[in-house]
């Protein structure tokens, strides 16, 4: 059972880190201790949260595209 949690900007940072590790939205929501309805509402309501997820996922995609053996 999830307790209602108010949005805080530091949650966007945590979400970005989790997204960059390849976590799904369901997994990110669980690790932030919110249900999916709250998570979805935050994505729609808070542009910094949505942007953090997008940036985190973009980092993941870039790492997956890089040929093996190459470093940043």
């Amino acid at each position: 059972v999830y307790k209602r949690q108010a949005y805080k900007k530091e949650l966007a940072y945590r979400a970005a880190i989790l997204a960059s590790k390849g976590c799904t939205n369901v997994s990110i929501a669980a690790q932030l201790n919110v249900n999916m309805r709250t998570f979805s509402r935050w994505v729609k309501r808070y542009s910094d949260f949505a942007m953090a997820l997008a940036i985190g996922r973009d980092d993941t995609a870039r790492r997956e595209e890089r040929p093996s053996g190459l470093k940043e």
Side-chain angles (χ1 to χ4, degrees), residues 10-69:
E10 57 266 17
L11 295 173
Y13 176 74
R14 286 182 53 202
I17 291 170
L18 294 168
S20 73
K21 293 179 178 182
C23 293
T24 64
N25 285 351
V26 172
S27 176
I28 294 170
Q31 292 186 52
L32 296 179
N33 202 31
V34 298
N35 64 35
M36 276 306 297
R37 187 173 180 179
T38 298
F39 182 89
S40 297
R41 187 173 51 245
W42 287 357
V43 170
K44 291 177 187 172
R45 191 175 291 171
Y46 302 105
S47 60
D48 60 323
F49 189 75
M51 185 66 71
L53 287 170
I55 290 169
R57 294 224 160 80
D58 187 50
D59 286 347
T60 300
R62 262 192 256 129
R63 277 196 304 270
E64 290 172 355
E65 290 174 2
R66 188 174 300 117
S68 62

